Amino acid sequence: MDRSMDRWMDDFNAKRKKKVAEIYQALNSDPTDVAALRRMAISEGGLLTDEIRRKVWPKLLNVNTNDPPPISGNDLREMSKDYQQVLLDVRRSLRRFPPGMPEEQREGLQEELIDIILLILERNPQLHYYQGYHDIVVTFLLVVGEKLATSLVEKLSTHHLRDFMDPTMDNTKHILNYLMPIIDQVNPDLHDFMQSAEVGTIFALSWLITWFGHVLSDFRHVVRLYDFFLACHPLMPIYFAAVIVLYREQEVLDCDCDMASVHHLLSQIPQDLPYETLISRAGDLFVQFPPSELAREAAAQQQAEKTAASTFKDFELASAQQRPDMVLRQRFRGLLRPEERTKDVLTKPRTNRFVKLAVMGLTVALGAAALAVVKSALEWAPKFQLQLFP
């Protein structure tokens, strides 16, 4: 047993060392091999350490770390209409900081968290604060520090998070409405049970708009998911939400078929999920059932043209990169007989290598992305505020 464990540890350390070397090779390439960095962020283990994340996350978001961080000459706490709500939310965020952190250090970070949020909102008046936004910002703050976090979250807010920062929740609801069609494609029985229970999708709201930061207690799991989401299409978090529900199929079916029972079960997310397996499956489902094929089934389709998912098509057209996911998608369809295309793919996972390849290239450089979102933005109405979390 001891020898087997030693061999396992040696193999694990060798793979980790190899991956670290590949990441730094991609970083040191001229130009930086962003496609390789995406593959590293998606593949097993993600980016491994916060030191590496500080180098790679800016590349995934196309942020130049040599640019000076945004600053403001205004007293934002006096001027911002969002200050009181941000202050309340940040005060309630104690559990998002590492256990055992000295109180003085934690309070200093909370002050920085407030400053980051208010500065981004001032610089981007088309964005509207929502409760849960601070859960995303604090993750970046803890990993990369205040200055870089400000630049990264500002870019993220004009792309991946853009729909959540509307004056209404219409586009957020639209994204949530992809959840049930994904489940239906994989497991119609589970879908029908949830429909009969009339549970809806509100249980997944905090998952989606905080990138699971609000509901996962282990920070290692949170940053692993951030590696994945930063490297992928803006709708990947809803695919990950779907695979969590699918993974808990038996628990759901064992519930009483009523809204209260199913909602209570699903809103209590397990902390011991097999994250690497679920990440691979989420990427697999995205390739098999892309948003474009689910759009007809998603409610509120008339809002689709305003979402990050639709503007993503503009980014794809603007990118000069090859799109291996399209090639693999066609190849996979050619291998399947029609009756097999909607079988429960979770029961027949393909090789880890194929899953990694299938997901690669889902995200393009975000310079064009931010531009496309800004160009298509509407003139936003006054701030929308909703109490989402206790």
Side-chain angles (χ1 to χ4, degrees):
M1 179 66 72
D2 289 342
R3 289 181 179 178
S4 297
M5 180 60 70
D6 288 343
R7 285 196 298 270
W8 183 88
M9 285 299 298
D10 288 343
D11 183 58
F12 174 82
N13 289 330
K15 289 180 178 178
R16 183 182 177 92
K17 185 176 181 180
K18 179 183 178 185
K19 185 170 190 179
V20 170
E22 290 173 345
I23 291 172
Y24 278 100
Q25 181 180 1
L27 282 168
N28 294 328
S29 297
D30 188 15
T32 301
D33 191 346
V34 178
L37 293 177
R38 292 190 195 108
R39 293 195 296 273
M40 295 297 104
I42 291 167
S43 64
E44 185 175 359
L47 296 175
L48 303 175
T49 70
D50 286 352
E51 179 182 357
I52 293 176
R53 290 183 177 99
R54 285 190 282 272
K55 298 177 184 296
V56 174
W57 281 4
K59 303 298 183 183
L60 298 180
L61 286 170
N62 196 28
V63 169
N64 187 345
T65 56
N66 294 321
D67 291 342
I71 58 175
S72 174
N74 297 320
D75 185 347
L76 299 181
R77 299 192 184 205
E78 288 291 333
M79 298 177 59
S80 175
K81 64 184 184 302
D82 297 296
Y83 172 61
Q84 289 301 324
Q85 185 60 57
V86 172
L87 178 63
L88 289 173
D89 292 343
V90 170
R91 283 177 175 172
R92 291 195 292 253
S93 66
L94 298 184
R95 68 181 187 83
R96 291 303 317 278
F97 294 89
M101 175 179 282
E103 182 178 359
E104 183 177 353
Q105 182 183 2
R106 188 255 305 156
E107 289 177 348
L109 287 169
Q110 286 180 302
E111 292 300 310
E112 292 178 2
L113 179 57
I114 293 171
D115 291 339
I116 293 171
I117 294 172
L118 295 183
L119 178 56
I120 291 172
L121 294 174
E122 183 206 35
R123 286 170 50 86
N124 300 273
Q126 78 277 16
L127 302 179
H128 296 260
Y129 178 75
Y130 65 88
Q131 288 180 275
Y133 183 67
H134 68 290
D135 281 297
I136 289 181
V137 181
V138 73
T139 302
F140 282 87
L141 174 62
L142 292 173
V143 173
V144 305
E146 180 181 12
K147 291 182 179 179
L148 187 51
T150 304
S151 298
L152 296 184
V153 176
E154 182 170 34
K155 177 62 72 72
L156 192 73
S157 299
T158 58
H159 178 46
H160 288 69
L161 307 180
R162 181 64 186 85
D163 297 319
F164 309 146
M165 306 192 76
D166 278 357
T168 74
M169 289 187 66
D170 289 347
N171 285 339
T172 302
K173 291 175 183 176
H174 174 74
I175 295 172
L176 280 170
N177 283 332
Y178 280 86
L179 180 66
M180 295 306 293
I182 298 169
I183 294 171
D184 189 31
Q185 291 285 348
V186 178
N187 192 328
D189 291 340
L190 178 60
H191 169 272
D192 293 348
F193 180 89
M194 293 176 66
Q195 290 288 77
S196 296
E198 299 182 341
V199 68
T201 58
I202 197 68
F203 65 85
L205 177 60
S206 65
W207 305 358
L208 179 66
I209 66 176
T210 70
W211 278 12
F212 296 84
H214 185 75
V215 294
L216 298 181
S217 58
D218 192 327
F219 192 70
R220 295 172 302 170
H221 298 154
V222 174
V223 294
R224 173 65 187 101
L225 288 181
Y226 278 44
D227 292 341
F228 179 47
F229 296 152
L230 286 171
C232 290
H233 188 284
L235 282 183
M236 191 57 77
I238 202 67
Y239 282 79
F240 191 79
V243 298
I244 290 178
V245 177
L246 290 162
Y247 175 76
R248 303 185 70 191
E249 170 195 2
Q250 197 56 54
E251 291 178 82
V252 175
L253 296 178
D254 287 344
C255 271
D256 292 333
C257 189
D258 61 72
M259 187 273 288
S261 299
V262 179
H263 177 84
H264 176 75
L265 172 72
L266 291 175
S267 62
Q268 305 298 314
I269 191 169
Q271 298 297 310
D272 59 347
L273 293 169
Y275 291 94
E276 294 301 333
T277 299
L278 297 183
I279 285 170
S280 292
R281 289 173 175 173
D284 195 6
L285 289 186
F286 183 93
V287 171
Q288 294 179 58
F289 312 114
S292 58
E293 293 186 5
L294 300 174
R296 283 194 296 265
E297 302 175 49
Q301 186 179 352
Q302 68 273 16
Q303 294 296 322
E305 69 274 9
K306 300 177 186 176
T307 68
S310 62
T311 58
F312 189 78
K313 184 59 64 178
D314 298 332
F315 321 155
E316 292 178 311
L317 296 174
S319 172
Q321 298 185 29
Q322 294 290 329
R323 296 302 312 280
D325 61 301
M326 294 298 295
V327 176
L328 286 160
R329 194 175 293 159
Q330 294 167 2
R331 181 189 306 169
F332 180 68
R333 287 177 181 155
L335 291 173
L336 285 184
R337 294 189 299 273
E339 65 272 17
E340 289 180 322
R341 293 178 185 171
T342 56
K343 282 188 177 180
D344 187 346
V345 297
L346 300 189
T347 63
K348 297 184 179 180
R350 293 181 296 287
T351 66
N352 193 39
R353 176 176 176 274
F354 178 82
V355 173
K356 292 175 186 176
L357 289 173
V359 183
M360 67 181 284
L362 294 180
T363 302
V364 299
L366 298 184
L371 180 62
V373 172
V374 171
K375 282 186 175 179
S376 62
L378 301 176
E379 292 296 327
W380 302 111
K383 184 186 77 166
F384 174 78
Q385 188 72 43
L386 179 69
Q387 298 290 328
L388 293 175
F389 306 122

